[in-house]
Amino acid sequence: MKQFFLASIVAGALALPAYAADYTIMAPAAPGGGWDQTARSLQAALQEEGISGNVQVVNVPGAGGTIGIAQFASQQKGNPNALIVGGYVMVGAILTNQAPVTLADVTPIARLTGEYEAIVVPASSEIESIDQLIEALKADPGAVSWAGGSAGGTDHIAVGLLAKAAGVDPTKINYIAYSGGGEALAAILGSQVTAGISSYGEFQSQVESGALRLLAISSDERIEGVDAPTLKESGYDVVLQNWRMVAAPPGLTDEQKAAVLADVEKLATSATWQETLKTKGWADTYLAGDAFEEQLAKDISATETILKDIGLVK
C-alpha cells in the first residue's frame, strides 16, 4: 500500500506542467516605455504559454539602461532565473555615458523585436508636415525642442541623423531626454516641446485617437496601416530601426545558458508572442545565440561611428 501511495505521488508530480523556471525580468527604464512594454509582454507570453509558472517584472530606470544593467550584472551573477530587456537604446547610452558596465558584462540571449521611429507633434501644433518641422529646425535649431528617450539612444541618434540630412549641425539640436516613454508622452501632449520622437508603438494609440499628429516614420518604405510618409521619401536619407533584446546575467554555465535560450526560443515561436508582435506593431527580428552575439558586436561598432559623426561621442 505504501509503495502504491508513493507511486501515485510520483505519477501525480510527473503529470504537472514542467515549468522550466520562475523568471524575474528587469526593465531598465520607467513604466510606459518600450522596454517596459517588452518586459510585460514577455511576462504575459511566458506565463500564457506555460513556459514559466511565475514571472515578475521590476523597473530600474535611469541613464538609458546603464543603471539597470550595472545593478543586474553585479546582483544577478550566475542566476539563471533573471533576465534583462535592452536594445539599441542601451548600446548608444553605454557609449555616450562611457558606462563602466556594458553588454560585454551580461550574457546576450536573443534579439526579439524591431520598430521604426515616429516623429509626432501635438494635435494643437501649427506644424502640419515634416517639411514644416525641418524649416523651423533650419531657421533656429535651438528653438525646436525634441522629446525622446535617453541621451545617446535611438531617438537621439535619429534626430541627429535627421538634422545632418537636412544640413543642420547635429550638435546644435535641442534634445530633451526622458527616462520613460510615459514622461516623454506627457511632455508632448502638454505642448511642453515642439516635437516628439520614439518607436511608433509608443505613440500609436494617441495618433489613432487624434491627440498626436504623425509627421513621418523612419522605415525604408511606407508601413501598411501607418498614415505617414517615410523620412526617405520626404527627402531626408534616414532609415533607422530600434531593436530590442533579452539578456541573462554573467557567470551562467553552458547548461544554464542553453536552458534560458530554449525557453526564449519557445517564447519567440509561440502563438501568444506572434499575436503580441501583431498587436504592438513590432517586427519579428528574432536572432539568437552566437549569430546574435556577432550581430551585436557589429551594431556596437556601427553605433559608435554614428555617435561620433553626430557629435555625441568624442
Side-chain angles (χ1 to χ4, degrees), residues 37-53:
Q37 288 181 35
T38 303
R40 293 182 193 282
S41 296
L42 286 170
Q43 176 188 39
L46 285 166
Q47 292 179 158
E48 181 73 25
E49 291 290 334
I51 299 166
S52 179

Side-chain angles (χ1 to χ4, degrees), residues 26 28-29 35 60-75 84 90 93-94 97 99-101 179:
M26 180 186 285
W35 286 343
V60 181
T66 57
I67 292 172
I69 196 174
Q71 186 184 113
F72 182 81
S74 65
Q75 294 181 5
I84 185 170
M90 189 180 280
I94 286 168
N97 295 312
V101 178
S179 66

Side-chain angles (χ1 to χ4, degrees), residues 82-306:
L83 297 171
I84 185 170
V85 170
Y88 191 26
V89 171
M90 189 180 280
V91 171
I94 286 168
L95 292 165
T96 306
N97 295 312
Q98 297 181 315
V101 178
T102 73
L103 289 168
D105 298 303
V106 296
T107 305
I109 297 296
R111 184 182 67 195
L112 295 172
T113 66
E115 197 172 10
Y116 291 107
E117 294 286 286
I119 297 172
V120 299
V121 293
S124 58
S125 172
E126 294 177 357
I127 295 169
E128 300 276 349
S129 68
I130 188 66
D131 286 332
Q132 286 182 356
L133 181 61
I134 297 302
E135 281 170 22
L137 186 69
K138 285 179 176 177
D140 187 353
V144 175
S145 53
W146 303 79
S150 309
T154 322
D155 304 340
H156 201 169
I157 288 171
V159 175
L161 290 173
L162 178 57
K164 192 178 177 197
V168 174
D169 182 351
T171 64
K172 304 288 188 205
I173 59 175
N174 179 10
Y175 182 84
I176 302 166
Y178 292 85
S179 66
E183 294 173 19
L185 184 59
I188 301 160
L189 289 169
S191 300
Q192 296 166 28
V193 292
T194 312
I197 184 161
S198 190
S199 298
Y200 175 68
E202 295 193 36
F203 296 142
Q204 186 175 359
S205 60
Q206 285 77 22
V207 168
E208 289 173 353
S209 72
L212 292 177
R213 182 180 301 128
L214 179 61
L215 301 183
I217 199 151
S218 69
S219 52
D220 49 353
E221 295 177 351
R222 285 204 180 209
I223 297 173
E224 188 180 345
V226 177
D227 185 21
T230 66
L231 289 169
K232 200 171 180 180
E233 76 177 80
S234 303
Y236 312 104
D237 192 14
V238 177
V239 175
L240 191 66
Q241 189 180 50
N242 178 18
W243 52 263
R244 298 190 184 109
M245 60 170 275
V246 66
L252 297 193
T253 65
D254 289 344
E255 291 78 12
Q256 287 172 329
K257 183 179 175 183
V260 174
L261 190 53
D263 280 352
V264 172
E265 190 164 346
K266 277 185 220 163
L267 164 105
T269 56
S270 71
T272 303
W273 184 251
Q274 291 301 315
E275 185 58 34
T276 299
L277 295 177
K278 281 183 196 168
T279 306
K280 296 282 189 185
W282 296 341
D284 187 349
T285 62
Y286 184 71
L287 187 67
D290 292 343
F292 173 51
E293 290 191 33
E294 286 172 22
Q295 184 59 47
L296 182 58
K298 290 178 187 173
D299 287 348
I300 291 169
S301 176
T303 304
E304 188 168 15
T305 301
I306 291 170

